Amino acid sequence: ARPSVRQWEAYVDAIGIGERFPALVGLGFAPSVTAAGLQELQIRERTAGRGLFSIHPRGMRPEYGPVLHLEPRTAENVAAVGYDMFSEPVRRKAMEAARDTGRAQLSGPVRLVQDGATDGPTDSVLMYAPVYRAGDLPRGLAARRMSMQGWVYTPIRVNRMVQLALEPRRGDLRFSIHD
């Protein structure tokens, strides 16, 4: 079963992401759904009293990975809810790799939905960890794809993470991260 909004909020609050990990934009959950599953998800969200769960970008696709929960609930994170990460090639590649291997995967550089339509550099990545039915780790590719429920993920601002990691070491230290 997918976590409820309250369960997800309580879980992320208990972790203390904002205080403990300031380079993380939040912690989210994105279900893995087919076109038919998307309609069921939208009906379930409406029935639970959360209103219309609309997906963007619009369009029919065979598979979706929309942001369902993203905490902490900032205005920027609320704007990302409903974004189908599976529709974007860089994100989809990491999501598929996580699903198919059973291991957490980092995406390549992306511009976060939270950043809006800026022309600045894409200095963020996303880390995806697969969630399988009943929390198991199925053996084999076909079993993992069949058992797939979604992804726990976190958007990471790489420049901020590096800045915070190096802060105590002020000096002439330089390094770069390459994909």
Side-chain angles (χ1 to χ4, degrees):
R2 294 185 178 110
S4 72
V5 172
R6 286 193 185 115
Q7 289 170 326
W8 194 256
E9 184 177 21
Y11 175 69
V12 175
D13 283 347
I15 293 173
I17 284 206
E19 301 82 41
R20 294 179 62 201
F21 307 103
L24 302 184
V25 176
L27 187 65
F29 177 75
S32 174
V33 293
T34 61
L38 180 62
Q39 289 179 335
E40 292 172 19
L41 174 65
Q42 289 172 316
I43 291 168
R44 194 175 13 228
E45 290 297 297
R46 193 172 322 129
T47 303
R50 289 187 285 280
L52 181 64
F53 182 65
S54 100
I55 304 299
H56 52 96
R58 292 184 172 269
M60 293 296 295
R61 295 179 283 282
E63 295 178 85
Y64 298 84
V67 176
L68 183 60
H69 304 306
L70 183 56
E71 295 288 336
R73 191 166 299 151
T74 62
E76 294 82 9
N77 283 351
V78 168
V81 171
Y83 176 66
D84 178 19
M85 296 184 288
F86 214 71
S87 70
E88 195 276 316
V90 173
R91 289 170 172 86
R92 183 176 58 248
K93 182 178 178 185
M95 294 167 86
E96 289 174 331
R99 175 196 65 202
D100 292 350
T101 65
R103 294 189 306 266
Q105 297 287 323
L106 278 175
S107 74
V110 297
R111 178 168 288 109
L112 298 178
V113 173
Q114 291 87 332
D115 295 334
T118 63
D119 291 330
T122 55
D123 72 337
S124 299
V125 296
L126 296 125
M127 179 177 287
Y128 295 98
V131 176
Y132 299 106
R133 195 170 308 128
D136 64 341
L137 178 54
R139 291 183 184 202
L141 179 62
R144 284 193 281 274
R145 288 182 177 181
M146 175 104 40
S147 182
M148 186 63 178
Q149 297 298 298
W151 299 266
V152 171
Y153 79 99
T154 185
I156 304 166
R157 296 194 190 283
V158 176
N159 288 344
R160 178 80 173 129
M161 182 181 69
V162 171
Q163 176 188 16
L164 291 168
L166 295 180
E167 202 166 74
R169 303 183 192 277
R170 291 195 177 117
D172 205 19
L173 181 64
R174 292 176 183 232
F175 72 93
S176 61
I177 298 173
H178 300 272
D179 180 6

